[in-house]
Amino acid sequence: MGAFQNFVNWLSGRTNGDYKIEIESSTGDTAKADKILNLKILMMASAAGYLASGLSMCQWRTMENGKEAKNAEYFRLNNRPNRNQSKAEFCSKLVYYLVTQNEALVFSTDGKDLYVADNWNVERRGTKNDIYRDVSVKDDDRTFQFQSSGVMHIKMDWTGLAPLISSIGDEYEAMIGTSYIGYRKQSGTKGVVNIQGLESGTDEQRTKILNRIKTQFKAFFDNQNAVLALNTGYTYTPVSTSARNTSEMNDIANMTDEFAERLGLALRVPVALMKGSVENTQNARTDLVMFGIRPIAQAFEQEYNAKRLGEREFTGGSRLFIDPLPIQLGDVASLPTFCERMTSCGQYSVDELRDLRGEPLLGTPEAQKHYITKNYGLLENPEEEAGAQQVPTAKEGGEET
């Protein structure tokens, strides 16, 4: 007869003999495992963090009539999009809604400050301008209404992706929770309490006995150093468990990596970054820029140039360009080679490269010039070396200039 049936018989008063009960330490439950291993939120926050930080590191360059202009709009886009948010906070909120809702709405109430909306409703009108109603931000009881031309509605080609990721994340969390509980049980302490000659009593007496045993053994199992006092007729026999099996921990690690891979592929964040790998970081950074950050930047550029500026200004040479080059310049090891190539082909001047790095400009005439590879001659005159002094030529009569 099993221990459980012995316990039932003892409670019902059908036995007056010895009674054995198996006990084990507290190992937690699924709710606790879910709380500790909230994989979905962790991974989505990690992916969104890479995209948001990369977008914030980009230089948001404003062009005016075909020339770069560092005006009030440049300051706003690169430092303080609105009175309450920095550029980093603005980008984080923008990417958060793109990741979780596949879309984000940016609006302005005064033609200057830019806000990412927390709530809005849209009325689709086919060939007419859509109407956006109840546009608002958190902690502001005001609501606004705009036509589609008055807001920047950034949409990604991730339609239906957010609920799919959420569903997959729930499944992985459930599987990891099961492995976590299995590992805790395997690592727990188990034993058998033998109660000799205990006669059945009243319900109240039995409840007191069980509660006392539970309290005693809980303290005994949960503390690193403990002493267990047993009454006469009580015998505790530890049950040796098999050696701790690490397969559950391996399962947790493998399932975490699997979900990281799937989420990274969906949001175009390199798997190496999602796993925290230090290998091939240069390639991972390039892929993040090309396939993760640049599409978001282009979607924002298109809405900004079409609605914030308009057709007339855009065709006149005014536009926004979100330049991801500062991200690539973050690699100090490859910086000298990159700078040499960019200057030797005439792409950038020395001061333009320093500006991309956020360093003070030299301001010298030589730092403003563009060079090409031929003894680093001037772009306008390759035969003339940079910084070379013109050789004086003699005029008639022996005079020099």
Side-chain angles (χ1 to χ4, degrees), residues 381-392:
N381 185 6
E383 300 299 329
E384 180 182 347
E385 292 187 5
Q389 299 292 329
Q390 247 185 336
V391 179

PDB file of all heavy atoms in Angstrom, residues 381-392:
ATOM      1  N   ASN A 381      42.878  70.220 -57.558  1.00  0.00           N
ATOM      2  CA  ASN A 381      44.114  70.165 -58.342  1.00  0.00           C
ATOM      3  C   ASN A 381      44.968  69.024 -57.826  1.00  0.00           C
ATOM      4  O   ASN A 381      45.787  69.212 -56.934  1.00  0.00           O
ATOM      5  CB  ASN A 381      44.874  71.498 -58.239  1.00  0.00           C
ATOM      6  CG  ASN A 381      46.102  71.512 -59.154  1.00  0.00           C
ATOM      7  OD1 ASN A 381      46.317  70.578 -59.937  1.00  0.00           O
ATOM      8  ND2 ASN A 381      46.900  72.565 -59.048  1.00  0.00           N
ATOM      9  N   PRO A 382      44.802  67.804 -58.365  1.00  0.00           N
ATOM     10  CA  PRO A 382      45.512  66.636 -57.832  1.00  0.00           C
ATOM     11  C   PRO A 382      47.024  66.765 -57.893  1.00  0.00           C
ATOM     12  O   PRO A 382      47.732  66.100 -57.127  1.00  0.00           O
ATOM     13  CB  PRO A 382      45.015  65.493 -58.722  1.00  0.00           C
ATOM     14  CG  PRO A 382      43.729  65.982 -59.290  1.00  0.00           C
ATOM     15  CD  PRO A 382      43.880  67.447 -59.445  1.00  0.00           C
ATOM     16  N   GLU A 383      47.542  67.607 -58.802  1.00  0.00           N
ATOM     17  CA  GLU A 383      48.993  67.729 -58.925  1.00  0.00           C
ATOM     18  C   GLU A 383      49.598  68.525 -57.780  1.00  0.00           C
ATOM     19  O   GLU A 383      50.776  68.445 -57.511  1.00  0.00           O
ATOM     20  CB  GLU A 383      49.342  68.398 -60.260  1.00  0.00           C
ATOM     21  CG  GLU A 383      48.847  67.626 -61.489  1.00  0.00           C
ATOM     22  CD  GLU A 383      49.461  66.241 -61.559  1.00  0.00           C
ATOM     23  OE1 GLU A 383      50.608  66.075 -61.090  1.00  0.00           O
ATOM     24  OE2 GLU A 383      48.789  65.319 -62.056  1.00  0.00           O
ATOM     25  N   GLU A 384      48.745  69.288 -57.086  1.00  0.00           N
ATOM     26  CA  GLU A 384      49.240  70.125 -55.993  1.00  0.00           C
ATOM     27  C   GLU A 384      49.076  69.399 -54.677  1.00  0.00           C
ATOM     28  O   GLU A 384      47.989  69.004 -54.303  1.00  0.00           O
ATOM     29  CB  GLU A 384      48.468  71.446 -55.941  1.00  0.00           C
ATOM     30  CG  GLU A 384      48.932  72.366 -54.812  1.00  0.00           C
ATOM     31  CD  GLU A 384      48.104  73.637 -54.763  1.00  0.00           C
ATOM     32  OE1 GLU A 384      47.370  73.894 -55.739  1.00  0.00           O
ATOM     33  OE2 GLU A 384      48.206  74.343 -53.744  1.00  0.00           O
ATOM     34  N   GLU A 385      50.169  69.181 -53.973  1.00  0.00           N
ATOM     35  CA  GLU A 385      50.109  68.467 -52.707  1.00  0.00           C
ATOM     36  C   GLU A 385      49.491  69.350 -51.632  1.00  0.00           C
ATOM     37  O   GLU A 385      49.605  70.571 -51.664  1.00  0.00           O
ATOM     38  CB  GLU A 385      51.508  68.038 -52.280  1.00  0.00           C
ATOM     39  CG  GLU A 385      52.116  66.963 -53.191  1.00  0.00           C
ATOM     40  CD  GLU A 385      53.413  66.441 -52.645  1.00  0.00           C
ATOM     41  OE1 GLU A 385      53.776  66.859 -51.520  1.00  0.00           O
ATOM     42  OE2 GLU A 385      54.049  65.625 -53.316  1.00  0.00           O
ATOM     43  N   ALA A 386      48.857  68.700 -50.671  1.00  0.00           N
ATOM     44  CA  ALA A 386      48.195  69.437 -49.602  1.00  0.00           C
ATOM     45  C   ALA A 386      49.207  70.178 -48.759  1.00  0.00           C
ATOM     46  O   ALA A 386      50.202  69.602 -48.308  1.00  0.00           O
ATOM     47  CB  ALA A 386      47.405  68.488 -48.731  1.00  0.00           C
ATOM     48  N   GLY A 387      48.959  71.459 -48.549  1.00  0.00           N
ATOM     49  CA  GLY A 387      49.820  72.247 -47.676  1.00  0.00           C
ATOM     50  C   GLY A 387      51.128  72.665 -48.298  1.00  0.00           C
ATOM     51  O   GLY A 387      51.953  73.293 -47.633  1.00  0.00           O
ATOM     52  N   ALA A 388      51.337  72.285 -49.563  1.00  0.00           N
ATOM     53  CA  ALA A 388      52.608  72.641 -50.199  1.00  0.00           C
ATOM     54  C   ALA A 388      52.631  74.125 -50.525  1.00  0.00           C
ATOM     55  O   ALA A 388      51.623  74.696 -50.937  1.00  0.00           O
ATOM     56  CB  ALA A 388      52.799  71.812 -51.472  1.00  0.00           C
ATOM     57  N   GLN A 389      53.766  74.727 -50.354  1.00  0.00           N
ATOM     58  CA  GLN A 389      53.911  76.142 -50.657  1.00  0.00           C
ATOM     59  C   GLN A 389      54.183  76.321 -52.145  1.00  0.00           C
ATOM     60  O   GLN A 389      54.912  75.550 -52.750  1.00  0.00           O
ATOM     61  CB  GLN A 389      55.073  76.756 -49.846  1.00  0.00           C
ATOM     62  CG  GLN A 389      54.868  76.669 -48.346  1.00  0.00           C
ATOM     63  CD  GLN A 389      53.731  77.564 -47.896  1.00  0.00           C
ATOM     64  OE1 GLN A 389      53.476  78.614 -48.485  1.00  0.00           O
ATOM     65  NE2 GLN A 389      53.047  77.142 -46.842  1.00  0.00           N
ATOM     66  N   GLN A 390      53.566  77.338 -52.723  1.00  0.00           N
ATOM     67  CA  GLN A 390      53.783  77.599 -54.134  1.00  0.00           C
ATOM     68  C   GLN A 390      55.204  78.106 -54.332  1.00  0.00           C
ATOM     69  O   GLN A 390      55.696  78.953 -53.580  1.00  0.00           O
ATOM     70  CB  GLN A 390      52.781  78.638 -54.651  1.00  0.00           C
ATOM     71  CG  GLN A 390      51.822  78.032 -55.634  1.00  0.00           C
ATOM     72  CD  GLN A 390      50.917  79.107 -56.210  1.00  0.00           C
ATOM     73  OE1 GLN A 390      50.704  80.141 -55.591  1.00  0.00           O
ATOM     74  NE2 GLN A 390      50.388  78.856 -57.365  1.00  0.00           N
ATOM     75  N   VAL A 391      55.879  77.558 -55.328  1.00  0.00           N
ATOM     76  CA  VAL A 391      57.245  78.000 -55.611  1.00  0.00           C
ATOM     77  C   VAL A 391      57.190  79.347 -56.309  1.00  0.00           C
ATOM     78  O   VAL A 391      56.480  79.489 -57.311  1.00  0.00           O
ATOM     79  CB  VAL A 391      57.979  76.975 -56.509  1.00  0.00           C
ATOM     80  CG1 VAL A 391      59.374  77.455 -56.823  1.00  0.00           C
ATOM     81  CG2 VAL A 391      57.996  75.621 -55.823  1.00  0.00           C
ATOM     82  N   PRO A 392      57.864  80.331 -55.786  1.00  0.00           N
ATOM     83  CA  PRO A 392      57.841  81.663 -56.420  1.00  0.00           C
ATOM     84  C   PRO A 392      58.406  81.610 -57.825  1.00  0.00           C
ATOM     85  O   PRO A 392      59.353  80.885 -58.104  1.00  0.00           O
ATOM     86  CB  PRO A 392      58.696  82.515 -55.498  1.00  0.00           C
ATOM     87  CG  PRO A 392      58.789  81.758 -54.215  1.00  0.00           C
ATOM     88  CD  PRO A 392      58.684  80.323 -54.585  1.00  0.00           C
TER      89      PRO A 392
END
